[in-house]
Amino acid sequence: EAEALTSLGAIAKSFRGDIGMAKRLQEAALRIARESGDSEAEGIALLNLAGHAFVAGQMNVAEHLIGQANKKLGGTNRELTDGYKPDFDAEIYLLLGNIAWKRAHHPQWSLMGKDYHIEEAQLNWREYVRIRNQYGLKLQDWFYKFGWTDPDGDWDLPPDGS
């Protein structure tokens, strides 16, 4: 049930653009996952809710939800042979990078100053690329657009046209 609601939430957001409905479906998925003790479904719902909080400009809420999701999804322990979810781990780094980038460019969300947040964004995005590359997973299109496909390569920040 929780997985179905999570999928419906993704559809509501991606295809219909209905963020409110997507959030309500994710919240319902979270309740069901918690009631049933499904840690993975709970982690996925928390990560999706973190994405909604980010879009809504609730950076602290998003970071808190990411922390909870990380615990439920087994953390970022790549040494695990069973249970490690590279796609979710990478998404955590992507979202943390996006939050840092937003903090760098919006003083109301900045905690440490622009340069600090830009460096934090880059570190998180590099880890996202490293994980996705290591497991043969496709990057988001804008990483290809800006040539950010090598986690150890030279990246121009900010990217041209950003």
Side-chain angles (χ1 to χ4, degrees):
E1 255 183 289
E3 290 176 24
L5 288 171
T6 295
S7 296
L8 288 173
I11 290 168
K13 179 181 177 188
S14 298
F15 298 110
R16 295 181 55 201
D18 190 341
I19 302 295
M21 175 62 75
K23 184 178 177 192
R24 287 189 298 278
L25 289 166
Q26 297 300 339
E27 288 168 344
L30 179 60
R31 279 192 302 277
I32 291 168
R34 284 181 171 159
E35 289 169 5
S36 67
D38 186 341
S39 291
E40 184 175 319
E42 185 177 348
I44 294 166
L46 287 163
L47 192 54
N48 287 328
L49 287 168
H52 295 304
F54 168 75
V55 169
Q58 300 170 325
M59 302 304 123
N60 293 338
V61 171
E63 288 173 328
H64 176 73
L65 291 168
I66 290 168
Q68 288 183 328
N70 194 31
K71 289 177 189 170
K72 292 296 177 180
L73 293 170
T76 56
N77 185 354
R78 288 181 214 134
E79 303 304 313
L80 295 175
T81 53
D82 294 330
Y84 175 62
K85 307 283 187 223
D87 48 344
F88 299 126
D89 192 14
E91 290 306 309
I92 287 170
Y93 285 108
L94 175 65
L95 191 50
L96 288 171
N98 292 348
I99 290 168
W101 187 259
K102 195 170 231 184
R103 285 189 189 280
H105 293 88
H106 298 278
Q108 71 270 27
W109 294 316
S110 181
L111 300 174
M112 304 294 289
K114 184 174 183 172
D115 291 341
Y116 172 86
H117 291 300
I118 287 175
E119 184 176 332
E120 182 184 21
Q122 184 175 203
L123 290 171
N124 280 296
W125 287 336
R126 285 181 184 278
E127 200 57 28
Y128 162 82
V129 170
R130 187 177 325 284
I131 294 165
R132 302 290 289 192
N133 287 349
Q134 180 180 349
Y135 289 91
L137 303 169
K138 187 177 181 294
L139 303 172
Q140 285 198 354
D141 290 341
W142 58 275
F143 283 89
Y144 297 108
K145 176 183 174 185
F146 295 125
W148 297 351
T149 57
D150 178 357
D152 299 315
D154 292 331
W155 290 14
D156 291 327
L157 281 171
D160 294 333
S162 67

